[in-house]
Every structure is written in C-alpha cells, then in structure tokens.
Amino acid sequence: MFTFKEIAQVVGGMLVQCNGTYPVQHLLTDSRKIANAVSSVFFAIRGEFHDGHQYLPELYAAGVRQFVVEDASGLMDLSTFPEANVLLVSNSVHALQRLAAYHRRKFNIPVIGITGSNGKTIVKEWLAQLLSVSERVVKSPRSYNSQIGVPLSVWQINESHTIGVFEAGISLPGEMEHLASVLQPTIGMFTNLGPAHDEGFSSSDQKLQEKLKLFAHVEKLVFCADQPFVYEAIQEAGLPTFAWSTHEHPAAQVQLKVLEMHHGKTKVRFRYDGKGQDLTLPFSDEASLENALHCLAVLLYVGVKPEELAGQFERLHPVAMRLERKEAINGCYVIDDTYNNDLAGLRIALDVLGQQARRGRKTLIVSDLLEAGVEEHALYQQVAQEIKTRGVDRVIGIGDIITRHQDLFPVGSEFYLGTDSFLGQLRSETFRQETILVKGARVFQFEKIVAALQQQIHGTKLEVNLDALVHNLNFYRAKLPAQVKIMVMVKAFAYGAGAYEIANLLQFHRVDYLAVAYADEGIALREHGITLPIMVMNPSPDSFLKMQQYSLEPEIYSPDLLHRFLDYFPKNSRKTPRIHLKLDTGMHRLGFDPAELEEALEVLDQMPHVRVQSVFSHLAGADEALYNDFSREQIFRFRQMAATVEKGLGYAVTKHILNSAGIVRFGEEAAFDMVRLGIGLYGVESAGQEQSSLQTVGQLKTTVSQVKSIKAGETVGYSRRGIAEADKQTATIAIGYADGYDRRFGNGVGEVLINGQRAPIIGNVCMDMCMVDVTGLDVRAGDEVLIFGAELPLTELSARIGTIPYELLTNVSTRVKRVFFNE
C-alpha cells in the first residue's frame, strides 16, 4: 500500500500540501468515475478537449482528497482544500505512467505485451482464457491500451497473479517508449500491420518501427513470419523471435497447415519441436483463425504440452467486444455485459451504469466473479463496496459463491444459486422503469436473462456505435477554437439513432447544448434525466407553459411568435424565460429579417425579464462549394444583424451560424461563439471533403427469413414486377417500407450485403419484407443482412434513389430496435 508521500518520491514533482494520511488504492483520471473517493488519487490531465483541473473543487466536494496536478492555480486558495494532499508535476500522464511502472517492478511475474494494428484485444482475451487453466491471470480490461489505459491496467497487478497479459496501442510517434516502461513485457506478441492510425505517422515503416519499441527487452517476440515487411523489420531490429507460419517459412519454429473448414470450424495441423499434431479451432473466418494461431504459438512457447491444447481450444469462445444497451420490458433499459465477470470488468460496467441519467432505480444482476487466487471473502467485500459507492439500488446475485457471501450486500438483495432458478421465478412486473446492468461470466448463460428482459421487437435492428459517435464529435471539436461551444442536433429521434441514448452520451462528453424540433422531444429527454440546456426549434404557443415547466428554450423566429410567447410570461413572472432569436440571412425559411428585427428589439426592451440566450442563422448552401460566396455573404449579414441585436439588448449573446458542413468549410472564419453539429455527428460529412475522417455510427441489419428456388419465367412479389429471366435463388429478408426501407429500392435499384456479398432487390419492396436475388451465393435462413453501414454507405444508397443520407437515417422506423454499443 502506497502513501501519498511515497507517490511524490516515485513520480517526482513538488509536494504543495500534505495534510492527511489516506489509503492509495484507486487511480482516477475521470472526474465522473469516482468509485471510492477517500482512497482515490486524481490525476488532473489536460486533454485535447477537456482539462481535469477545472473539476478539482467538484472532486473535493465529492470526498476526493489526493490530487496530482500540472497547474496549481486552481488550488491557489488552499484554505478551501484544507484536507487535500496536492502534488505538482510537469505532466500528469507521465506521472501516472511512472507510478504504474514502479508498481510493475514490484512483481517478478512474466508479462505478455501485445501490440499490432488489429486483433490486440481478441488475442489478449483469448490468451487470458487459455492461460487461466493453469495460471492466475491479470489482463487489460476491455481495450485499455492507451497512454492512460495501460498504466491503469498494470495497477491491477497484485500478489495473487502469476502472469500478466496486456495490450498496447499507439497513434503517434514517441508513445510506445512510455508504454514499454510501464508494461516491461517479458514476452512480446505482434499481431499484424494494417492501416489503423496511419494518419499519425509519416509512413507504415515509421509506424512499425514505433510499435516494435515495445519489445526492446523481451526474451522472445512471437509473431507470424508470413508478413514479409514485418519479418524484415524484426530481423533488422535484432529481436529474439519465436515465429509461426502457414507458408513453410524457414525461420518459423511452428509450421501450420489448414486441413479443412467445415460448419464454422477449422482443422489445422502444426509441427513444433519435431512433433506434429492436429487441432480443431472453433472458427472459420480469416481474422479469428489468425488470432487463434497467434495464441497457439504463445502457448507452445510458454511450454503448454501439445496434447493439452486440443481441449483448451475447443473451449475457446468468441469475445463479446461490445457492451450493448437495449430497450426492455415495462419501460426498462438493459445494459448487456454477459461475456465475462471479473472485478476490473465489473468496475467498468458499473461506470456505464452510473452514466445513465434515466430516472428510476438502477439494478445490477451479477454472477459469481472469476478471480482465481483471490480470497473469497475479501473479493466479495470489494464487490459489495464497489456496488455501494456506485449508487446501485437493487442487487440480484446469481451463483453459489456470491450467495455464500450475501451478508455483505445491502438488505433486500436477492440471491439465486443458478440462472435457471432465477428465470424460474422471474415475473415481468417486478422490473419497471429501471436501468438493469446484466453482468455475468459466460458459464452462467446470462444471455437468457437478457432475452427474457429485452423488449420483443422483430429481428431487424439498428446498431449504433457510440465509440464512433464520440470519434466524430471529437473530429469536429478539433476544427474549432477551444472556447467555441457545441450545440448538437438530437431532433427526429437523433436522426433516427435514438434520442435518449445519444443525448445521454453527449451529456457525459460535456457538449454545451442540445436542439430538438418540437417541445415533446425535449420533454421526453428531461423525463429521462437529461439536464443539458435544450433549444426547441419549432415551438408552438400551446407548448410554451410546458416548455417553461421543463426548462426548454424556444427558438423565436417572427414578431408574431415573439408577442405570443411574451403573452405567457408577463413582467411579474417568477422564472426568467430564455429564448433564441432566429435571423433570416438568406435561407428564407424561418427567421427575422432586418426590418422585423428592429420591432423585436423594441419589444424586448420593454421586457427586461426575458433573456436572449443566443442569436443564430442557417447557411443555405454550406454543403456545396458552388455556394461558398453566398455562404460568406450570409455570414457577413449575420455578423451585422447580431451586432444590432447585442446593441439593442445591451448585453452580449451567444452567436452561431455554422452547421456540420459549415464547420468544415468555414470553421476558422465563422465559428463565432457556438456551432450546431447535426448529420456530421452521425457519420455523414455533407460538405463532401473529409468523409474518410468520420466513422460509421449506424448499421441497419436484418435476417434472412427464407430461401427459395425460382424457375425461369416465374415472378417475385407484388404486381409481378420481379421477373426471373433464368432459374434463380431468392432470399426473403425481414425488412420493408414500414421499417423505413424505401420502396424506391425495389426492382434492382437497391442492394444488400449477405455474408459479405452484394445481392440486388428483386421485385417490389413490401410493407414488412422484401426479396433479394442470391443466385450463386451461399445463403441460408437466419443469415445476417446488412442494409446500410460501413460496407454499404448511406451516401451510395441515397444517391441510388436520388435523395440524401438524412432521409434514409430518419426514415428508420421506431419499431426497429436500437442496439447501442461500445467497442
């Protein structure tokens, strides 16, 4: 156990104040993820978009007493932090890394360090599974492979562990040396070299050389010798290697040959140390096969007997890379994390549960934890403490071990010896209007619980990648000066993606404003716990009182609407009504023109209790370079009209005119005080300049219901529009125009993707289904179908039917279930 003074000695810096003796157990880098305040040390990190120093008073009020800072100016009046310990360092991230490196050196255990462009997390998880048969493994939680994630992962190591498996990822030169000093790997594992993070390096060679710095002091580097570029670089670096090959590479110690693939399994033969053996792997896709062979080579190197491998690999199961959120029965909401359950993973899942702003209680359904080598009572004391500090309202424990320790948990908690016994007594009415985290080890089959709780909607689903959404948010943030605020459009069900979940994520990532089209959208967000300021773009007079009740701020765009709004709020109103003035600078849709603006300012001068929060306008042609001159003319008009508003009001207001396309084209010259981010957040760069910089947020998927054989001359679908000019095979898929799949995609205009192969629509699109031509493709009932996504982009599909991506996104019906996930 460290003391704060020992931390100061380890990481250096200046001890500004040391007024208390507190335990040091948790390293905290995010002010929103306090687990145990009194035993936490907060590292205030200056990031690209946030500065941890601004949250010091908030953390102190929450009970945190130990701080590592780069700037002590926020603590200048230390009398307001009388119990705090404060260490001033030049770089908080480096201080965190030095502390973790010191902690790592205290444990003389082998550590496997994994890097590469793809497959790091899968290989790490599978190695942990395979090694746990005989070892007590500590590993990175999920994909904690960054400059911050790696030291937080290493901090987990304790006396019970016998081996560590950690991944390391970089995006810029110079980063890997820091991670290597933290991990101090004894065995290296290089997966492959691909295009991920290419933008941070001058060339693929530079990126490879940077990644190889992780292995400077390993006893062996395990890798595939069939990558010539990688093989040559490793040879030139003089690293000690243990290689495998499927191409009879002469330098490979392990020679492998794929014998056959059948029903999702692959039979391979390997030769090592003069002996040969066959092995069946429970995968057939190329990526999983490569990842499994990496693991096989590592196990052979560390001395696992070949005859023991068969049983271990047969039990290898896919890794759930996604923590999913799903709508559930009786207004509930399920967070599905049913892959594994250890203390580190539980903490991460509880963080996600805590981020949900929905009203109603928070429930945890949790299985026994699989923490080999940890004394039971001490482990479940930690589990109970984590649950207590995270504000969980109800606990349901499943498993004989957690049941044995039920006295550690809050009164009223429920316990069951197995999943089936819980399901046997499950009554849907016992779950209502709550958020339910389902967190279980694989052997408990908690997917049955998720299935029982999940709202039963048909199999078509829109998968929403929240990590991609955050990436896109940060892409646009990076184009703006630091002081510029961001208003995000969550109107129209967040462009079809799901308003609450998107709004909740944006609130967590501290955007400044949300905008909705109608008051009822804003009311729904408030009822789900969203507290951000919300502008309503199409207010109606009959909603004004409700808007004031729910702290919603209307857009006022005409003299008539202004007068009608003010009629509701006379000068003696208890609340200060807040409004946003829309100016017409050339869009000619809504907004005050210059003549009307003069009248509005005269009226507002008589109503000083009304606060104008912002003035704004809308660019008519920012998505096309053809209209750049007109856009700049609009910006000029807006600047003049906004100045008139501020002069008339006698105070400064927030000014904004740029939409997503405008941020790309005019971010440097016209960001003003705030911008409005819409379609760009959802992965469509409407200016057409930087689409490759955005990530796909939504993927619409369905399934094959049936496959049919059609004779030449027969027809398919309504009005007999689909004519088979030759013998064909068709597949009926479970999506139609009632789900938002446009009828214009019928009769060969549209295509879908099944098992990675394109299949055109045949015949008309029906209300609930449509048919596709799968002649020559290997397609079966139950196969997944991609309607749109990364491999079938919205920009292509919208062009096929002469529309825009907005329409395809917003048309996705609310009967299509949304599944939200993080990688």
Side-chain angles (χ1 to χ4, degrees):
M1 186 73 69
F2 286 93
T3 67
F4 195 76
K5 286 184 177 179
E6 287 174 324
I7 291 178
Q9 292 171 355
V10 170
V11 307
M14 182 174 70
L15 200 56
V16 177
Q17 178 171 287
C18 192
N19 286 347
T21 303
Y22 311 102
V24 176
Q25 292 178 309
H26 303 284
L27 307 184
L28 182 63
T29 61
D30 191 323
S31 63
R32 299 159 295 190
K33 297 181 179 179
I34 303 173
N36 190 320
V38 73
S39 63
S40 294
V41 179
F42 179 70
F43 288 76
I45 295 170
R46 281 200 175 99
E48 188 175 2
F49 307 110
H50 297 295
D51 185 352
H53 295 80
Q54 70 186 85
Y55 306 109
L56 299 179
E58 172 187 317
L59 286 156
Y60 188 83
V64 177
R65 293 294 180 266
Q66 304 179 94
F67 302 93
V68 177
V69 301
E70 298 174 11
D71 179 2
S73 60
L75 298 164
M76 287 303 291
D77 185 5
L78 288 172
S79 64
T80 61
F81 299 85
E83 300 174 358
N85 296 338
V86 181
L87 176 65
L88 179 65
V89 298
S90 59
N91 187 300
S92 293
V93 173
H94 293 167
L96 175 69
Q97 292 169 342
R98 285 193 291 271
L99 179 60
Y102 179 80
H103 180 71
R104 161 71 180 97
R105 287 193 292 271
K106 293 168 64 178
F107 301 94
N108 187 27
I109 63 171
V111 165
I112 301 173
I114 305 168
T115 196
S117 295
N118 305 104
K120 296 186 293 294
T121 302
I122 298 287
V123 170
K124 178 255 300 180
E125 291 289 340
W126 280 351
L127 276 176
Q129 286 181 42
L130 293 162
L131 291 167
S132 64
V133 175
S134 57
E135 302 279 358
R136 296 191 295 277
V137 182
V138 57
K139 63 181 177 66
S140 313
R142 291 197 174 271
S143 54
Y144 272 39
N145 60 26
S146 68
Q147 296 293 298
I148 294 172
V150 169
L152 293 180
S153 299
V154 167
W155 187 253
Q156 300 175 97
I157 302 175
N158 62 46
E159 292 79 4
S160 70
H161 298 123
T162 60
I163 193 169
V165 186
F166 301 101
E167 57 177 301
I170 58 171
S171 54
L172 294 170
E175 291 183 335
M176 191 59 87
E177 289 99 330
H178 297 295
L179 301 187
S181 69
V182 173
L183 283 180
Q184 301 154 45
T186 53
I187 301 169
M189 169 78 256
F190 187 86
T191 58
N192 55 41
L193 188 69
H197 299 295
D198 272 356
E199 64 276 9
F201 302 91
S202 61
S203 65
S204 295
D205 181 63
Q206 185 193 35
K207 182 172 70 171
L208 176 58
Q209 296 299 331
E210 290 290 326
K211 287 181 179 292
L212 292 181
K213 290 177 181 178
L214 179 63
F215 311 123
H217 302 291
V218 296
E219 62 186 39
K220 285 293 182 189
L221 169 59
V222 181
F223 76 109
C224 176
D226 297 332
Q227 309 169 78
F229 185 60
V230 172
Y231 175 78
E232 291 171 10
I234 290 174
Q235 290 298 110
E236 288 177 9
L239 297 172
T241 60
F242 186 87
W244 62 272
S245 170
T246 58
H247 292 75
E248 299 183 347
H249 195 288
Q253 289 90 337
V254 182
Q255 298 290 345
L256 292 140
K257 183 177 182 180
V258 175
L259 300 179
E260 62 178 3
M261 293 183 178
H262 189 60
H263 294 307
K265 296 184 178 182
T266 303
K267 188 175 183 179
V268 299
R269 177 171 295 157
F270 69 88
R271 289 192 62 81
Y272 170 61
D273 200 20
K275 300 176 183 178
Q277 184 172 317
D278 291 353
L279 184 67
T280 299
L281 303 174
F283 312 102
S284 58
D285 64 286
E286 185 176 341
S288 295
L289 185 59
E290 179 181 317
N291 292 333
L293 295 178
H294 284 315
C295 295
L296 171 61
V298 172
L299 263 62
L300 289 171
Y301 172 71
V302 299
V304 177
K305 295 178 181 178
E307 58 269 22
E308 296 175 357
L309 292 171
Q312 293 188 37
F313 275 91
E314 285 173 6
R315 291 190 295 270
L316 200 62
H317 47 74
V319 174
M321 296 292 291
R322 310 180 341 178
L323 195 155
E324 298 183 342
R325 289 85 143 167
K326 304 170 180 177
E327 294 176 341
I329 56 175
N330 303 327
C332 293
Y333 189 70
V334 166
I335 302 173
D336 179 0
D337 196 11
T338 54
Y339 161 62
N340 68 5
N341 197 20
D342 54 26
L343 190 57
L346 177 61
R347 285 171 177 152
I348 293 172
L350 287 170
D351 282 339
V352 174
L353 178 63
Q355 292 165 19
Q356 308 309 308
R358 289 169 58 98
R359 291 173 182 164
R361 64 181 176 180
K362 290 181 168 63
T363 295
L364 169 66
I365 303 177
V366 61
S367 77
D368 288 347
L369 274 72
L370 303 183
E371 293 271 2
V374 181
E375 194 275 320
E376 276 186 16
H377 188 77
L379 173 62
Y380 286 93
Q381 275 185 322
Q382 289 187 66
V383 172
Q385 180 64 28
E386 293 286 347
I387 290 170
K388 179 182 178 181
T389 57
R390 306 305 178 91
V392 175
D393 300 297
R394 175 163 64 150
V395 178
I396 298 172
I398 298 176
D400 58 345
I401 304 176
I402 196 170
T403 299
R404 285 202 300 269
H405 296 88
Q406 59 183 280
D407 59 307
L408 298 172
F409 293 85
V411 175
S413 299
E414 304 169 34
F415 294 88
Y416 302 87
L417 292 177
T419 302
D420 290 338
S421 62
F422 167 72
L423 291 171
Q425 62 76 50
L426 178 62
R427 301 291 179 268
S428 64
E429 61 270 17
T430 63
F431 293 91
R432 191 170 296 277
Q433 300 294 328
E434 56 195 280
T435 304
I436 308 164
L437 169 59
V438 183
K439 177 65 176 164
R442 177 112 179 165
V443 294
F444 284 87
Q445 297 183 301
F446 270 19
E447 61 270 17
K448 294 179 181 178
I449 298 176
V450 174
L453 294 173
Q454 192 176 353
Q455 192 173 19
Q456 297 305 306
I457 314 176
H458 72 84
T460 301
K461 59 185 177 181
L462 180 66
E463 295 183 346
V464 181
N465 185 335
L466 298 177
D467 290 335
L469 189 139
V470 172
H471 167 88
N472 296 341
L473 172 64
N474 289 336
F475 165 77
Y476 285 98
R477 268 183 167 153
K479 291 189 168 295
L480 301 167
Q483 74 278 8
V484 174
K485 298 177 181 178
I486 295 180
M487 174 185 283
V488 178
M489 304 292 111
V490 291
K491 61 182 181 177
F493 203 50
Y495 289 61
Y500 159 69
E501 182 61 45
I502 301 301
N504 186 62
L505 185 73
L506 295 169
Q507 182 166 281
F508 183 76
H509 283 277
R510 298 186 172 107
V511 302
D512 302 282
Y513 253 94
L514 300 177
V516 296
Y518 299 103
D520 55 357
E521 295 176 315
I523 291 169
L525 292 178
R526 288 283 185 253
E527 290 178 340
H528 280 86
I530 300 302
T531 58
L532 284 173
I534 299 175
M535 181 176 79
V536 178
M537 304 185 77
N538 290 287
S540 61
D542 59 3
S543 70
F544 284 154
L545 287 178
K546 276 282 188 185
M547 290 176 62
Q548 194 72 350
Q549 183 181 349
Y550 283 89
S551 299
L552 305 175
E553 302 169 9
E555 167 190 320
I556 302 296
Y557 50 78
S558 71
D560 176 67
L561 189 61
L562 177 61
H563 284 292
R564 298 182 72 174
F565 178 79
L566 295 176
D567 286 343
Y568 277 90
F569 303 106
K571 291 183 180 180
N572 60 358
S573 174
R574 289 185 178 182
K575 291 187 175 181
T576 300
R578 300 177 184 276
I579 64 174
H580 301 258
L581 295 182
K582 176 73 172 286
L583 310 179
D584 185 359
T585 59
M587 179 81 165
H588 300 320
R589 185 173 63 179
L590 293 173
F592 291 92
D593 61 32
E596 293 171 329
L597 189 59
E598 184 177 343
E599 176 191 345
L601 291 172
E602 290 176 359
V603 172
L604 288 169
D605 187 54
Q606 303 302 312
M607 308 292 276
H609 64 293
V610 175
R611 179 76 185 183
V612 177
Q613 289 293 99
S614 81
V615 293
F616 69 103
S617 189
H618 198 88
L619 296 178
D623 53 346
E624 296 187 52
L626 174 66
Y627 302 118
N628 280 357
D629 288 343
F630 184 74
S631 294
R632 289 192 171 94
E633 185 177 338
Q634 281 193 272
I635 292 167
F636 176 76
R637 291 176 188 167
F638 175 69
R639 187 174 276 111
Q640 289 185 315
M641 293 177 74
T644 300
V645 170
E646 290 184 322
K647 182 178 179 181
L649 293 174
Y651 56 85
V653 298
T654 299
K655 299 171 284 295
H656 47 110
I657 192 172
L658 298 185
N659 55 7
S660 297
I663 295 170
V664 173
R665 291 195 191 279
F666 309 108
E668 292 185 6
E669 60 187 277
F672 291 101
D673 306 304
M674 186 160 70
V675 298
R676 299 187 305 277
L677 180 57
I679 192 69
L681 183 73
Y682 305 98
V684 178
E685 204 287 273
S686 53
Q689 295 182 180
E690 299 191 52
Q691 182 62 52
S692 62
S693 298
L694 298 182
Q695 293 182 4
T696 299
V697 171
Q699 295 204 114
L700 183 60
K701 295 180 177 180
T702 189
T703 56
V704 173
S705 301
Q706 188 178 19
V707 178
K708 285 182 172 290
S709 296
I710 306 297
K711 296 293 185 182
E714 293 185 331
T715 61
V716 178
Y718 284 122
S719 304
R720 306 194 69 191
R721 293 291 178 87
I723 301 172
E725 70 281 358
D727 290 356
K728 287 185 176 297
Q729 269 204 324
T730 65
T732 301
I733 62 176
I735 191 170
Y737 57 78
D739 304 297
Y741 192 61
D742 201 294
R743 290 188 78 246
R744 289 173 288 179
F745 284 123
N747 303 301
V749 175
E751 289 182 330
V752 300
L753 213 61
I754 308 178
N755 298 328
Q757 302 173 91
R758 292 196 174 213
I761 304 295
I762 183 170
N764 284 333
V765 174
C766 308
M767 180 181 287
D768 307 302
M769 61 194 78
C770 55
M771 288 66 70
V772 296
D773 185 349
V774 295
T775 305
L777 307 182
D778 182 16
V779 175
R780 301 176 186 177
D783 283 353
E784 187 175 76
V785 183
L786 180 69
I787 305 301
F788 64 68
E791 297 170 282
L792 206 56
L794 284 164
T795 47
E796 175 193 333
L797 295 179
S798 59
R800 284 174 177 249
I801 59 172
T803 187
I804 55 177
Y806 296 74
E807 183 177 352
L808 299 189
L809 274 176
T810 58
N811 277 357
V812 177
S813 168
T814 53
R815 83 174 187 179
V816 173
K817 67 183 176 185
R818 271 71 174 170
V819 176
F820 303 92
F821 67 91
N822 296 95
E823 295 289 359

